[in-house]
Amino acid sequence: MIGLISATAAGAAARDRLAAAWPDRTRVYEGPVGDAVRTAFAQCEQLVCFLATGAVVRLVAPLLGDKASDPGVVCVDEGGRFAVSLVGGHGGGANELALAVGEVLGAEPVVTTATDAVGLPGLDTLGFPVEGDVAAVSRALLDGEPVALRAEVAWPLPALKVSAEGAYTVRLTDRLVEPTEGEAVLRPPSLVVGVGASKGAPVDEVLGLIEASLADAGLSARSVAELATVDAKAEEPGIVEAAGRLGVRLVTHSAEELAAVEVPHPSDAPLAAVGTPSVAEAAALLRGGELLVPKRKSEREDGRPAMATCAVVRRPARGRLAVVGLGPGARDLLTPRAKAELRRAAVLVGLDQYVDQIRDLLRPGTRILESGLGAEEERARTAVEEARKGQAVALIGSGDAGVYAMASPALAEASDDIDVIGVPGVTAALAAAAMLGAPLGHDHVSISLSDLHTPWEVIERRVRAAAEADIVVTFYNPRSRGRDWQLPKALAILAGHREPTTPVGVVRNASRPDESVRLTTLAALDPATVDMMTVVTVGNTATRRIAGRMVTPRGYRWQEEPR
């Protein structure tokens, strides 16, 4: 929850705008400002104070405890010009909150965290627990001193400016090691703990067994990603509470799934109780990995039979491929999720001209693999290969990467050995439609007129089907120097089913500085004025030109009723 505190009428107005934008995330605190701040600080994960920074500093200073647990605090000035990340930039999420507040209120976010200010990822923002000499290593990264990466576990990381050798070290390990001077230790979520328990097993017995097993094997509990068990134990209190205390999710599997897993220590007891010869080992091994701790039973001081078992597996690292749509070109049409994925990537793969569009958004140290037109399949293979090496990869495409772009060839190359994340983008058809008016108000279809990979006979059949079905058509790749007859042919097919006065929208370089928009008709359109940077949208029999805009009615009956 985000607490909102204000002291003046102007502050209250801005506060109410934020509350209206985030009704489920915010709570307004009224009354004396000092009391409101103290109450919100105790009850909320974050605060936005519409007060002077000096006043907020004095109010929150006595309340501060630890940066890992203190709420993030953002200040917005009286004029609503700035959103200042004051406390908890990373741990409390104030830096991201300042950016979000700025977007809602039109304020300039002010972030003074050193790593964020220069575009470096903070070691405490990588999504992994971190310990050791974090401040010294972060300072070395900021100062450009050589920092070595020692990856004892292969795991996809964002871009880091690291070297083969250095006086400072970032160590990626799930081992129970004590960080040395000048060393920061990152804990990847690489361990899965399989757990079995008798009915009523105490949480202390379950948790004690897990912690002892990890410690004896020299493994860090901070690298545990999940507890895994059989479906029949999904609500077993001792297991559920152990997962809660460890701060990890509980994953359950059916007895049939677990029975199919080959394990070193099967037993008749769980087979009789829940239908599988193994719970702990099978649940830990179900998705593959290295068995580090075979099945181990708890030990009870009273000498009674053990009520819990566990096993520990190091799961195989999986590379990460994010297929990112950059939108039609304008920076403000690039989604926040796309920006986040670009910053998260250690490797970027893309067409050179698209890379140039977003190069300034990449973290220092990002490895860029760019190529020219015509190398789509090569880029797709490269992105998948890099992900298979355990890298965090972003493969970029214009518009939406899944529409006539890179997602299709990349996913045709990828198998289930990597994680794939799709990030949608604003397509050229949607950007053009917004500029034309509302041409896609009813059923519509997009057809590429490029016969480079699709036979013209197939394309023509699709155009004819759209014409006969009276569907609005958006043509991608309508005309190039070597393909000058396909667009006239497609228009002729449509003309056989639509009036010559049917509105046609022609948009070139939608959302870019040299964009152009033209509204014409099916009879008047000159194909010679169209090129590969153009999107052509042909209306259906209901599409009209209204006040200079292209509009396709939604077709509901109420629109036909007299008013």
Side-chain angles (χ1 to χ4, degrees):
M1 186 61 65
I2 303 171
L4 307 181
I5 301 104
S6 63
T8 66
R15 175 203 69 192
D16 292 344
R17 285 173 57 198
L18 200 61
W22 299 337
D24 299 327
R25 299 173 54 196
T26 56
R27 180 187 302 162
V28 173
Y29 285 81
E30 304 278 8
V33 170
D35 293 343
V37 168
R38 283 188 289 273
T39 303
F41 197 93
Q43 295 179 347
C44 298
E45 291 81 24
Q46 295 175 320
L47 279 69
V48 179
C49 298
F50 296 84
L51 306 163
T53 54
V56 178
V57 166
R58 291 184 176 87
L59 287 170
V60 302
L63 309 175
L64 297 176
D66 183 270
K67 70 176 184 178
S69 57
D70 288 336
V73 180
V74 170
C75 289
V76 178
D77 67 290
E78 182 75 5
R81 296 173 300 166
F82 303 103
V84 182
S85 174
L86 186 67
V87 173
H90 284 167
N95 291 351
E96 291 185 3
L97 180 59
L99 295 173
V101 170
E103 288 184 2
V104 174
L105 301 180
E108 181 72 23
V110 178
V111 175
T112 58
T113 305
T115 51
D116 288 19
V118 298
L120 286 172
L123 294 176
D124 55 349
T125 67
L126 300 181
F128 309 128
V130 59
E131 55 197 64
D133 205 351
V134 179
V137 176
S138 297
R139 186 167 54 250
L141 287 168
L142 285 167
D143 292 344
E145 296 184 43
V147 176
L149 174 64
R150 290 176 56 193
E152 298 176 9
V153 179
W155 212 262
L157 289 175
L160 290 171
K161 292 186 70 174
V162 292
S163 310
E165 301 291 338
Y168 297 89
T169 304
V170 174
R171 187 175 181 182
L172 184 69
T173 183
D174 56 19
R175 291 287 175 186
L176 193 59
V177 296
E178 192 67 31
T180 61
E181 183 178 354
E183 180 179 69
V185 176
L186 295 176
R187 301 294 189 187
S190 55
L191 303 178
V192 176
V193 179
V195 182
S198 303
K199 184 176 178 59
V203 62
D204 289 341
E205 182 171 346
V206 176
L207 188 59
L209 172 63
I210 294 171
E211 291 176 338
S213 299
L214 291 169
D216 291 348
L219 299 170
S220 172
R222 302 189 78 186
S223 278
V224 175
E226 62 190 41
L227 298 192
T229 190
V230 66
D231 285 345
K233 297 297 178 180
E235 313 238 340
E236 184 63 43
I239 296 177
V240 173
E241 191 172 341
R245 290 194 194 178
L246 288 169
V248 300
R249 63 177 184 158
L250 176 63
V251 178
T252 65
H253 307 287
S254 70
E256 291 77 14
E257 290 178 296
L258 298 184
V261 179
E262 189 173 327
V263 297
H265 303 101
S267 172
D268 292 334
L271 180 61
V274 294
T276 172
S278 172
V279 173
E281 287 182 338
L285 285 166
L286 183 65
R287 295 195 179 105
E290 178 187 2
L291 184 62
L292 302 179
V293 179
K295 183 176 72 174
R296 176 172 170 173
K297 295 182 180 181
S298 57
E299 297 179 1
R300 308 190 72 180
E301 294 180 0
D302 57 11
R304 297 173 64 186
M307 297 187 74
T309 60
C310 83
V312 183
V313 164
R314 178 181 288 132
R315 61 181 180 176
R318 292 171 64 88
R320 189 176 192 277
L321 173 61
V323 187
V324 181
L326 301 181
R331 178 58 60 86
D332 60 354
L333 292 181
L334 178 65
T335 67
R337 187 179 300 179
K339 292 177 184 177
E341 287 296 344
L342 294 175
R343 289 193 292 269
R344 180 170 181 165
V347 180
L348 182 86
V349 181
L351 179 68
D352 47 15
Q353 57 185 302
Y354 297 154
V355 172
D356 289 340
Q357 289 179 23
I358 47 85
R359 197 182 296 270
D360 62 302
L361 297 177
L362 304 178
R363 299 282 196 188
T366 303
R367 185 156 56 97
I368 300 173
L369 304 176
E370 54 187 317
S371 52
L373 287 168
E376 288 82 3
E377 292 183 6
E378 176 190 341
R379 285 194 292 275
R381 283 194 295 270
T382 297
V384 172
E385 288 169 2
E386 290 293 327
R388 284 183 176 141
K389 295 176 184 176
Q391 298 280 5
V393 182
L395 174 63
I396 59 174
S398 66
D400 183 291
V403 179
Y404 301 122
M406 293 306 302
S408 179
L411 298 193
E413 290 285 335
S415 54
D416 63 358
D417 58 346
I418 61 173
D419 293 325
V420 178
I421 296 90
V423 181
V426 178
T427 68
L430 296 179
M435 299 170 71
L436 290 167
L440 308 183
H442 208 291
D443 296 340
H444 53 275
V445 64
S446 295
I447 299 176
S448 171
L449 294 183
S450 172
D451 56 1
L452 182 62
H453 299 292
T454 305
W456 173 252
E457 293 76 15
V458 174
I459 297 173
E460 182 174 338
R461 188 165 65 248
R462 292 170 179 170
V463 175
R464 198 172 301 281
E468 293 173 354
D470 195 26
I471 295 176
V472 176
V473 182
T474 297
F475 289 124
Y476 278 73
N477 306 314
R479 185 176 181 275
S480 67
R481 293 177 183 176
R483 295 185 302 97
D484 58 1
W485 58 268
Q486 287 90 341
L487 178 60
K489 176 66 174 176
L491 295 174
I493 294 172
L494 293 174
H497 298 267
R498 301 178 193 183
E499 295 295 327
T501 55
T502 299
V504 176
V506 181
V507 180
R508 187 176 189 279
N509 282 335
S511 86
R512 300 186 184 189
D514 57 345
E515 68 184 16
S516 65
V517 184
R518 183 159 46 96
L519 190 54
T520 183
T521 65
L522 190 55
L525 175 61
D526 179 4
T529 63
V530 174
D531 62 12
M532 285 288 285
M533 305 303 294
T534 306
V535 172
V536 177
T537 300
V538 182
N540 65 10
T541 56
T543 305
R544 298 289 181 265
R545 182 169 183 161
I546 302 174
R549 303 180 186 92
M550 186 176 176
V551 180
T552 301
R554 293 177 67 176
Y556 295 131
R557 291 188 180 90
W558 56 260
Q559 290 186 305
E560 300 173 359
E561 295 175 356
R563 298 181 181 179

